[in-house]
Amino acid sequence: MTTTSTGQATGPGLLLAERVEALLARLTLPEKVAQLCSAWEDVEPAGPEVAPGMNLLGRVGDLDETARHGLGQLTRPYGTVARPAIEHARMLAARQEQVMAQNRHGIPAMAHDECLTGFTAFGATIYPTSLGMAATFDPALIGRVGAAIGADMAEAGVHQGLAPVVDVIRDYRWGRCEETFGEDPYLVGEMAEAYVRGLQGAGVYATVKHFAGYSASMGGRNHAPARVGPRELWDVLLPPFERLVAAGVESVMNSYAEIDGEAPAASRWLLTSLLRDRWGFEGTVVSDYWSIPFLVSAHQVAADLPGAGVLALRAGMDVELPDQRGFGRPLVEAVERGELDEAEVDRAVRRVLRHKIALGLCDPGWDPRPPALRAGHLDLDKPENRRVAHAVAQGAAVLLSNDGALPLPATGRIALIGPCADDVRTMFGCYSFPNHVLSGRPELGIGVEALSLREALAAELPGVSWEYAQGCPVRDDDRSGFPAAVAACRGRTSSCWWWGTSPACSASARRARAATWRTCGCPACRSTWSRPCSPPARRPC
């Protein structure tokens, strides 16, 4: 199916800026605001919580309502539930057709998905974590990673990827360390720029995050305030973002963690004065998931969701992800009441339309079917991609010392000890599909072919007599397996110990703060997380 989107007035013969202005002039206020909103269609109330709070918050509504005047973005069409990739492509095409049919100008939505350790989709190639990528010290290789991921996403009909993470990490208690490129701002910038150039060179817009100070949260607690001085902010935390803006990154995502008492999602200094006025950023700022509702429930700088939406828009936020709670109808009503100037809406809409037109979504004849669907085949785990992932894994390995234990002998008796040695998921990052979506669904497998260390060693050294003992679980204090582990080592030629953490532990750290929030029944709490209201006054959150 082919569809003419926006007609001759915004045809490809005009300059990009002219096309943006011509289309903007034809939109009503509700149609403009719709371009700043998103919809998450695959949310399963009883399914895995792929984003903290997703099950509690649920869906805003069906696409019939959420895209009644059009839509800015479709949220995670591949990265929410386990389906064959080609089925996701069909569903994405149907949703795009619906979005286009429901708005007068036939404007499609952009589709975004996660892509930190590869395209977060069932059956897609899984790459090492960002820490592993940084350990290669090979920007050219990481550029190939970005290009491979971008090619898969573009083939699948996805237009924006929510990566890379350029938070500089100095506190190793933080539960999201593995998502970062490490502790050095220069190395973070080198790796992130290579990744962005690869991804965007394949036609998918990158999203640099989390702007800014997220990794400096107090006590290593996710979402906690960042207590940083000017020197640490300017010399450590901001340089990778500034570098990526100069390199042409197309989108920026805010941090959750307040800096000096100010929430980034409501910070005009951060999102406008610094990012745009000083650095010259021209792309879109998208909210980290539910950042706008958090202005009510966590930061408590807005009395309600409409107020939060106005605060965020005025600060410089362009698109609300993953759905529409502070934007949408509340923004329309704020303009109608005279509380918000329509010019501030226009400013954000221009940026969104610029992206859509530049990507070709508004060209006459644009086809809502992803390229792979038109071809009838979508392979997200190509042999060449696995070779790139393997090269990164090899380059990421760091040998700190060797007292003669390596290489392992090809014969003999060797003990293999540790809770991670026979659990393949511990080899993948927290944003890989097996860990991010399938962690609570072992019956679905992991979607890709992968060997645990135990299986790989047995295949590599078949002449060795291996004896495996778990020793202990990853996540609790059960030491009952210690005697068996010690016994396995007796009489062995050597012992291999394989331990560490798991993505489940990182997820627990990320969600620890969220777990302390409750709903209290006030109007704000019925639609977002909140601390309990203070009795007996029951003040609104």
Side-chain angles (χ1 to χ4, degrees), residues 478-508:
D478 182 4
R479 303 188 180 193
S480 61
F482 282 11
V486 172
C489 296
R490 291 195 181 101
R492 298 287 161 174
T493 306
S494 57
S495 301
C496 296
W497 295 77
W498 193 260
W499 61 85
T501 186
S502 72
C505 294
S506 297
S508 296

Side-chain angles (χ1 to χ4, degrees), residues 23-37 69-70 104-105 313 327-347 349:
L23 182 52
L24 178 63
R26 298 167 64 193
L27 300 181
T28 65
L29 177 60
E31 290 170 341
K32 291 175 183 178
V33 170
Q35 294 301 312
L36 312 182
C37 299
H69 299 290
R104 294 185 306 134
H105 306 289
L313 185 75
F327 285 6
R329 186 62 194 170
L331 283 188
V332 174
E333 293 173 351
V335 173
E336 292 173 343
R337 291 193 302 267
E339 298 171 1
L340 179 67
D341 193 328
E342 189 170 350
E344 295 185 271
V345 175
D346 290 350
R347 180 192 62 206
V349 177

Side-chain angles (χ1 to χ4, degrees), residues 24-268:
L24 178 63
R26 298 167 64 193
L27 300 181
T28 65
L29 177 60
E31 290 170 341
K32 291 175 183 178
V33 170
Q35 294 301 312
L36 312 182
C37 299
S38 57
W40 198 348
E41 284 296 287
D42 275 336
V43 172
E44 297 179 301
E49 190 175 62
V50 301
M54 184 185 80
N55 292 352
L56 174 64
L57 293 170
R59 294 174 67 222
V60 172
D62 294 330
L63 207 58
D64 292 347
E65 177 60 27
T66 57
R68 187 157 57 98
H69 299 290
L71 189 69
Q73 296 223 9
L74 285 164
T75 294
R76 294 179 66 161
Y78 290 81
T80 308
V81 299
R83 295 190 190 100
I86 198 67
E87 290 186 20
H88 278 300
R90 292 191 187 98
M91 295 183 72
L92 176 57
R95 288 167 181 165
Q96 287 283 29
E97 290 175 357
Q98 182 178 352
V99 169
M100 294 167 69
Q102 288 182 186
N103 73 89
R104 294 185 306 134
H105 306 289
I107 305 172
M110 288 179 63
H112 77 262
D113 236 306
E114 299 284 359
C115 57
L116 192 64
T117 60
F119 185 10
T120 304
F122 186 63
T125 304
I126 300 170
Y127 297 81
T129 65
S130 298
L131 278 181
M133 294 183 197
T136 68
F137 290 87
D138 189 346
L141 178 57
I142 305 313
R144 291 170 58 196
V145 171
I149 295 171
D152 283 347
M153 298 181 84
E155 188 180 8
V158 176
H159 311 103
Q160 183 169 343
L162 302 188
V165 171
V166 298
D167 299 307
V168 178
I169 181 65
R170 298 285 178 88
D171 185 343
Y172 309 118
R173 296 171 298 176
W174 195 53
R176 306 186 71 165
C177 289
E178 68 167 50
E179 299 177 38
T180 77
F181 290 111
E183 65 183 8
D184 182 76
Y186 178 77
L187 180 62
V188 171
E190 283 282 304
M191 295 298 168
E193 181 175 343
Y195 179 94
V196 166
R197 291 190 184 279
L199 193 76
Q200 295 192 166
V204 174
Y205 287 167
T207 308
V208 63
K209 58 187 186 180
H210 306 83
F211 189 60
Y214 193 31
S215 54
S217 56
M218 294 174 60
R221 300 278 289 181
N222 195 41
H223 292 223
R227 296 286 186 258
V228 294
R231 183 169 182 176
E232 183 178 359
L233 183 65
W234 287 102
D235 290 355
V236 177
L237 300 174
L238 291 179
F241 291 97
E242 184 178 12
R243 176 170 179 169
L244 268 292
V245 169
V249 71
E250 290 289 350
S251 192
V252 171
M253 176 178 279
N254 69 280
S255 163
Y256 290 127
E258 67 182 50
I259 300 178
D260 195 24
E262 186 175 42
S267 173
R268 183 169 179 81

